[in-house]
Amino acid sequence: MRNLLPLVTRALGESWRGLIAWAVGVVAVLVLYLPLYPSIGGSRELQGILDSLPPELIAALGYDQISTGAGYTQSTFFGLVGFVVLVVAATAWGSSLIAGDWESGRLELDLAHGVGRVRVVLEAALTVLVKLVLLLAITVAVILVLDEPFELEIETGNLLAAAVGTTGLAYLSAAVALLVGAVTGRRSLAATGGALIAAIGYVMQALAKQSADLEWLGAWSPYLWVNDPVPLIDGWNSIGFAKVWGLGLLFVAGAALVLRRRDIT
C-alpha cells in the first residue's frame, strides 16, 4: 500500500524517542507543580505576599487568579513553564525539519527523488502538528487525573480550550522556524526565529499589563491573543485562537513559497 505521507512517517519514526523524552518532561512538570496547589495556591500566606506586590506586576506574571485551581494551573503551567517547554520543543522540531535537513544534505536528496518542495514544507508542518497534538493530549490526560485528588476543579471544556490555545502558540514558533529555515537553510537561525516570536509575544503582553501607555502592545502579542481572556478559566477564545493559528498557517505558506524559489545545493 502506498504511503501517502512518507516524510511524516519517516520523521515520526526517527524521532519517537525524542518525543517520549519531551512527554516525560511535560508530565514531570505537571506532577511537580499541580499537587502543590492545595498547600500553596490557596494559602493565606501566598495571598498575603501577592497583596504586597503591585497589581501591574501580578497581572504581568499571570498570578491574579492563582488562588483558584484553574488560575494556579494557568499561572504555573499553561502561562509559564508548560508554555516554555512546548515552545522549545516545537521550535526544535521546526528548525530540524527544513533547515536541519538542508544542512545535512537530506533535503537535496529528497528533492532529487522527486519529492516536491511544497510537499516538503507541508509534511514538515504536519509532523510538528502531530507531535504537538500528542504532547497536549498527554498534558490533558495528566491534568484530568490530577484534577480531583488535588482539588483543582478544572472544567474539561476549558482545559481543552487551553490545550488548543497553547498548541497554537507553540505551532506558531515552529512555523516561524520553518520559514526562517526555508529562507536561510541554517538550523541555528531557524531556532532563533522560532524562539524570538514566542519571547517577543510574552514580553509585549507583560509590558502591556505594566502601563496604560503600553496597552497597545497587547494587540500585537500572540501570547495575549490566546490568554486574554484566559481559556482555562473563561473557556474558548475563538477570535484569539483564529488569529494565532491563522498566523501560523501563513508562515507555513510563506515557507512553501520561499522554498519553491530557493537554490538547494
Side-chain angles (χ1 to χ4, degrees):
M1 183 177 177
R2 183 184 177 188
N3 187 347
L4 298 178
L5 300 170
L7 302 184
V8 173
T9 304
R10 184 183 69 188
L12 294 177
E14 292 177 346
S15 62
W16 64 271
R17 293 180 182 84
L19 181 59
I20 290 176
W22 283 110
V24 170
V26 168
V27 173
V29 170
L30 292 169
V31 172
L32 176 65
Y33 279 94
L34 298 193
L36 297 177
Y37 169 68
S39 58
I40 295 179
S43 69
R44 293 181 179 179
E45 291 79 5
L46 178 61
Q47 191 59 50
I49 294 173
L50 295 177
D51 290 342
S52 68
L53 298 175
E56 295 82 2
L57 179 60
I58 299 297
L61 295 174
Y63 288 175
D64 44 342
Q65 300 188 64
I66 201 172
S67 60
T68 67
Y72 177 83
T73 305
Q74 171 67 28
S75 301
T76 56
F77 185 78
F78 286 107
L80 190 60
V81 181
F83 164 70
V84 171
V85 171
L86 293 167
V87 163
V88 170
T91 300
W93 295 332
S95 62
S96 69
L97 286 171
I98 292 182
D101 285 352
W102 195 333
E103 287 184 342
S104 69
R106 171 179 273 184
L107 178 59
E108 185 176 3
L109 190 61
D110 287 339
L111 297 179
H113 281 80
V115 180
R117 297 176 183 227
V118 172
R119 180 171 192 157
V120 167
V121 174
L122 294 181
E123 290 210 36
L126 181 58
T127 299
V128 175
L129 180 60
V130 169
K131 289 182 173 182
L132 281 174
V133 169
L134 290 173
L135 269 190
L136 267 298
I138 293 170
T139 298
V140 169
V142 173
I143 293 176
L144 288 176
V145 169
L146 298 176
D147 182 69
E148 185 172 347
F150 298 104
E151 306 169 8
L152 296 171
E153 299 181 348
I154 296 173
E155 294 184 18
T156 302
N158 292 354
L159 177 57
L160 293 175
V164 170
T166 305
T167 303
L169 286 173
Y171 194 72
L172 177 60
S173 288
V176 172
L178 291 174
L179 174 59
V180 176
V183 172
T184 67
R186 300 286 299 276
R187 186 171 182 173
S188 60
L189 295 178
T192 300
L196 270 180
I197 193 167
I200 291 172
Y202 187 86
V203 170
M204 290 173 73
Q205 68 86 27
L207 293 174
K209 292 178 178 177
Q210 291 280 347
S211 169
D213 294 334
L214 298 175
E215 281 185 358
W216 61 273
L217 287 174
W220 299 94
S221 167
Y223 183 93
L224 211 55
W225 294 347
V226 166
N227 289 304
D228 186 22
V230 178
L232 199 58
I233 298 172
D234 302 306
W236 294 85
N237 177 8
S238 302
I239 295 177
F241 290 3
K243 289 166 70 175
V244 76
W245 279 102
L247 186 58
L249 294 176
L250 191 61
F251 281 127
V252 170
L257 289 174
V258 169
L259 196 65
R260 285 186 63 186
R261 300 175 179 273
R262 293 287 281 129
D263 179 22
I264 311 295
T265 55

